[in-house]
Each structure stands twice: as C-alpha cells, then as structure tokens.
Amino acid sequence: MDMTASLHGLIGGVLIGLSATWLMITLGRIAGISGILGTLITARPKGDSGWRLAFLLGLVSGPALVILAGGGLGNVAGQAGAVIGAPAGGVATMLVAGLLVGVGTGIGSGCTSGHGVCGLARLSPRSMAATLVFLAVAIVTVFVVRHVIGGDA
C-alpha cells in the first residue's frame, strides 16, 4: 500500500470537509458542485455570484497550483508514466456519460458532493438514499464493464 497516496487522500478529504463546513458556517450554503454551478449558470443570482465563482475557481486553481509547484498530476492510470488512461468507450461514450450524469444530478436534486459530503454530515435521509443509489450504480457499472462487456475500467 502506497502510504504517500493514502496521506494525500486523507489530507484532501480533510480539506474538502473543512471547506464544506466553512461554506455552511459562513454563508449557510451547501457545497454541492452541481447546485453551485447550475445556479450560477441558470438563475444568475444577484449578489450571490461572487462566492460561487470563487468556489469554482478554487476547484480548478488548487490542482493547477499543485502542478505548478512540481507536484505533478499523480498516477491514476495504474501504469508507470501514465496520468490517466484513454476513455474506455471513446469520446462519444464519455460525452453521453457526462450528459447522463448531468441529468442525474437534476433528477436527484444534487450530486455526490452535495449529498455524499454535506447531506450525510447533516444526517439527511434523502442524501443517505441518494448516496446509496450512487454507490450501488457505481458497483453495478464496474461489474458490467469488467465482467460483462470485458473492458479495462
């Protein structure tokens, strides 16, 4: 087991928890990415856009700063020298999958960050149900891709 990767995951998780807590304490808002981005795009909130833009900028600039500081991208592909593998089903499949995720966040009234991080912390029964569905679908998807279709995911 790679202790450095585990430590990075632990630190990242703590930072996510702290940022979600800070947003709730200071602004009374839930750190659900789909809600933050969706409201910024569709509702164009008056006087509420600043923190939304700052939050989204932080999502992008944090990893960019790590890369600029020499931290690299990390190896999540499982192959030496690789960063991330090619899309398992091609670009078209990835686009369809992304659209389905977007539709799912609308139907589920939020995404994994909103339900899994913030909703569970607030002991929300709806978030518990949503998170269990997310996990169940992920498990089934991995099983189907690996054992039925025969992919490398």
Side-chain angles (χ1 to χ4, degrees):
M1 180 173 178
D2 182 7
M3 290 304 292
T4 303
S6 297
L7 185 59
H8 288 167
L10 175 64
I11 292 169
V14 168
L15 290 173
I16 289 169
L18 288 174
S19 67
T21 302
W22 176 77
L23 191 60
M24 179 60 82
I25 289 170
T26 59
L27 297 177
R29 301 293 188 164
I30 295 173
I33 308 309
S34 62
I36 292 171
L37 179 62
T39 301
L40 186 63
I41 292 171
T42 60
R44 304 204 194 269
K46 306 250 187 303
D48 199 26
S49 298
W51 74 266
R52 292 175 190 277
L53 288 170
F55 192 93
L56 294 170
L57 182 62
L59 287 176
V60 177
S61 64
L65 290 173
V66 169
I67 293 167
L68 290 173
L73 292 173
N75 185 348
V76 295
Q79 302 166 356
V83 176
I84 190 165
V91 174
T93 302
M94 296 297 286
L95 289 172
V96 170
L99 289 172
L100 289 173
V101 168
V103 169
T105 61
I107 293 170
S109 299
C111 58
T112 52
S113 60
H115 286 298
V117 175
C118 302
L120 292 179
R122 293 181 299 115
L123 303 176
S124 166
R126 188 173 104 190
S127 290
M128 174 64 80
T131 303
L132 288 173
V133 170
F134 297 153
L135 290 173
V137 170
I139 290 167
V140 169
T141 301
V142 169
F143 178 82
V144 168
V145 169
R146 285 191 176 174
H147 302 291
V148 176
I149 297 174
D152 291 332

